[in-house]
Amino acid sequence: MTEALFNQMTAAPVANADEINELLRRYGVKFGIYKNGTFKEQLFPFDPIPRIITAEHFREIEKGLIQRVDALNMFLYDIYHEKNIIKDGIVPEDFVYISSGYLPQCEGITPPNKIYSHISGIDLVEGKDGEWYILEDNLRIPSGASYPLIAREFTRVASPKAFSQNNIVDNRNYAKLLKDTLDYSNCGGINAILTPGRYNAAYFEHSYLAEMTDSVLVQNDELFVEDNILYQKTYSGGKTKIGALYRRISDEYLDPLTFEPSSLIGIPNLMEAYRSGNVAVINAPGNGVADDKGIYYFVPKMISYYLGEKAILKNAPTYLPFYDEDKEYVLENIGKLVIKDVAEAGGYGVVFGSELSPEQLEAFRNTIINEPRRFIAQKVIDFCDLPIIDNGETVMRKADLRAFVLSGETTRVWASGLTRFSRNPDSFVVNSSQGGGFKDTWVLSR
């Protein structure tokens, strides 16, 4: 795409940026973060210049994402049942059983249709070499789909000609994709979205998606389990059966009788209802074992093992200090690598060796030697900068893409996505929890 064509396509949203951001503010499109023990709610900074992906590029991304998520779902079923991938020596058992995401309480549970990750958020970057690289797989409670969805809606209001005059795939089908996904796994009853409440970072998204999918938005005190069936209390004193629960709280807080007993936001005996096949929990508890950053290294091998195919999308070049050869490489090249703590998320626990002093590098080497399973190391991918508007000027910033893959009767990729960018010119970290902003993602139809 030429620069002139790009500027022509994006001129209207840029010209109406103030109106779009005012609509986002008025409708409370916010993102909350905890900082120094205090909850702060803030507007999620929106940039009007969209990321544009050609139809040809998207077809390749789509095939690669479907392949990857299908393999990850097969891995999750295998790990909680036969464990063939361990028996055959493809994935070392150390990377499963000592993962913080592996939950022995989920052993032997088969979710409806054997789907574990119904909504997968896969983070990619486009390298300057033209290749797309997977950075992370998010299979627990990935957030973010609502932001480009509502931003597109407001951009359409402010700049209707941008969409009538250009071949942009309509992204309003996300609600239908999500509802189809919930319905496919539903065990009989209504669909519900479980939120921990308005002080959660993604509460806007919980309420927005509930409205868009005709699901009920519930908190734990509205729910109870009776005879291994999950119900919602009604205002008249009755009860309504829930067949699919799209939970937006972490595994450890889901059921105080199974996981963390001090949880005040969970539902007692939920896991018994789930184990009995009376409710689908979306995404399934225990998925964290598959999006552990240490397991990420093995996903191309999973694709080969389960599907007999070569991975279409590449991982970032990754090293596991767990292996002596990789550990030696990491210790020698730590100043050129990015080190990630496998237990952290949201941009936390990411250390760029180039930013550390000699003393810090030495301390980090010792930590890696003592706790090799705790870390992965990756080469720093020189991924593409995208233009953003900063104080009225167009500047370039690092940006990634969170693609959303929904698994139901078939596995489908939403032709849109959340493009996140760093507002810091010197940073590769784009996470909203680290102060990043977002922009819409336009996929061209031809």
Side-chain angles (χ1 to χ4, degrees):
M1 178 180 298
T2 65
E3 183 177 351
L5 179 57
F6 179 87
N7 291 338
Q8 177 186 325
M9 291 180 67
T10 61
V14 171
N16 293 291
D18 290 344
E19 181 181 349
I20 297 166
N21 275 291
E22 174 57 24
L23 286 167
L24 290 169
R25 185 199 65 76
R26 188 185 307 166
Y27 279 81
V29 182
K30 296 179 180 179
F31 186 90
I33 59 173
Y34 282 93
K35 193 168 185 177
N36 300 323
T38 303
F39 178 80
K40 296 183 178 180
E41 201 170 40
Q42 59 195 39
L43 291 175
F44 196 177
F46 172 71
D47 184 75
I49 307 176
R51 160 177 252 148
I52 298 179
I53 300 176
T54 66
E56 180 182 5
H57 275 166
F58 184 75
R59 281 192 293 270
E60 189 73 5
I61 293 169
E62 182 179 40
K63 286 191 297 183
L65 290 174
I66 290 171
Q67 178 195 60
R68 191 175 183 97
V69 169
D70 283 348
L72 285 164
N73 267 308
M74 295 173 76
F75 170 75
L76 282 161
Y77 178 80
D78 189 14
I79 285 303
Y80 287 113
H81 292 82
E82 298 300 322
K83 302 167 179 50
N84 290 318
I85 200 166
I86 295 175
K87 294 174 185 176
D88 291 337
I90 307 300
V91 176
E93 61 182 359
D94 304 64
F95 277 83
V96 175
Y97 300 127
I98 64 173
S99 167
S100 60
Y102 167 73
L103 300 181
Q105 299 93 330
C106 296
E107 279 290 334
I109 299 178
T110 302
N113 306 305
K114 296 185 179 179
I115 300 172
Y116 284 78
S117 187
H118 308 80
I119 302 103
S120 306
I122 311 298
D123 295 342
L124 311 90
V125 292
E126 184 181 9
K128 290 185 177 176
D129 59 1
E131 295 269 7
W132 286 86
Y133 294 89
I134 305 286
L135 287 188
E136 285 188 7
D137 304 294
N138 298 281
L139 311 181
R140 285 175 258 197
I141 43 174
S143 62
S146 64
Y147 298 104
L149 193 59
I150 196 167
R152 176 82 62 91
E153 191 63 34
F154 292 153
T155 305
R156 190 179 287 109
V157 170
S159 311
K161 289 185 178 180
F163 301 94
S164 62
Q165 296 177 351
N166 295 298
N167 301 309
I168 302 163
V169 177
D170 194 331
N171 75 345
R172 284 175 287 191
N173 67 333
Y174 184 79
K176 184 178 187 308
L177 292 175
L178 180 55
K179 188 176 187 306
D180 287 348
T181 299
L182 298 176
D183 288 345
Y184 185 68
S185 290
N186 190 295
C187 298
I190 64 171
N191 295 327
I193 296 180
L194 174 63
T195 177
R198 73 165 306 275
Y199 291 108
N200 181 263
Y203 181 72
F204 161 77
E205 176 160 277
H206 305 166
S207 57
Y208 184 67
L209 292 179
E211 179 183 353
M212 297 293 289
T213 59
D214 294 323
S215 302
V216 296
L217 183 67
V218 294
Q219 292 185 231
N220 67 316
D221 57 0
E222 300 172 61
L223 306 175
F224 67 97
V225 173
E226 182 178 88
D227 297 328
N228 289 340
I229 296 175
L230 180 65
Y231 293 102
Q232 179 194 20
K233 301 172 187 176
T234 64
Y235 291 112
S236 61
K239 59 188 181 183
T240 302
K241 184 178 185 295
I242 292 177
L245 185 70
Y246 181 12
R247 53 76 177 233
R248 299 300 297 260
I249 67 175
S250 300
D251 288 355
E252 61 267 32
Y253 302 116
L254 267 178
D255 183 344
L257 299 183
T258 301
F259 303 117
E260 176 52 56
S262 66
S263 172
L264 299 177
I265 57 175
I267 306 159
N269 290 313
L270 173 63
M271 288 299 292
E272 288 306 309
Y274 173 54
R275 184 181 290 275
S276 300
N278 294 324
V279 65
V281 179
I282 295 170
N283 282 339
N287 278 9
V289 69
D291 69 12
D292 180 299
K293 290 183 177 67
I295 289 291
Y296 160 93
Y297 175 89
F298 298 98
V299 178
K301 296 182 179 183
M302 287 179 205
I303 292 170
S304 175
Y305 181 76
Y306 293 118
L307 302 176
E309 300 170 358
K310 183 178 179 181
I312 295 169
L313 295 173
K314 296 180 180 179
N315 277 10
T318 304
Y319 303 89
L320 292 185
F322 174 82
Y323 293 121
D324 288 340
E325 183 179 350
D326 280 15
K327 179 165 65 177
E328 183 178 343
Y329 179 87
V330 171
L331 295 177
E332 289 179 359
N333 295 276
I334 191 169
K336 299 184 291 186
L337 301 172
V338 54
I339 315 296
K340 297 181 178 180
D341 189 320
V342 300
E344 297 283 1
Y348 296 99
V350 177
V351 176
F352 288 84
S354 59
E355 297 176 358
L356 299 180
S357 68
E359 294 77 18
Q360 290 172 320
L361 284 173
E362 188 58 33
F364 219 115
R365 284 191 185 93
N366 290 330
T367 302
I368 291 171
I369 290 169
N370 293 325
E371 302 177 76
R373 170 62 178 84
R374 180 181 163 187
F375 301 98
I376 64 169
Q378 295 177 327
K379 289 185 176 179
V380 179
I381 295 176
D382 189 12
F383 58 94
C384 290
D385 300 76
L386 295 180
I388 71 165
I389 304 296
D390 185 28
N391 293 322
E393 294 185 5
T394 301
V395 296
M396 304 300 288
R397 294 289 185 268
K398 295 296 180 188
D400 77 350
L401 170 66
R402 172 163 293 182
F404 292 89
V405 186
L406 294 98
S407 301
E409 187 172 5
T410 59
T411 304
R412 295 177 288 182
V413 181
W414 184 37
S416 186
L418 177 66
T419 291
R420 302 176 298 180
F421 61 87
S422 172
R423 291 193 290 167
N424 180 344
D426 302 316
S427 177
F428 282 68
V429 180
V430 301
N431 303 70
S432 49
S433 56
Q434 304 298 309
F438 83 101
K439 55 173 68 201
D440 194 4
T441 305
W442 292 2
V443 175
L444 302 185
S445 58
R446 55 186 172 85

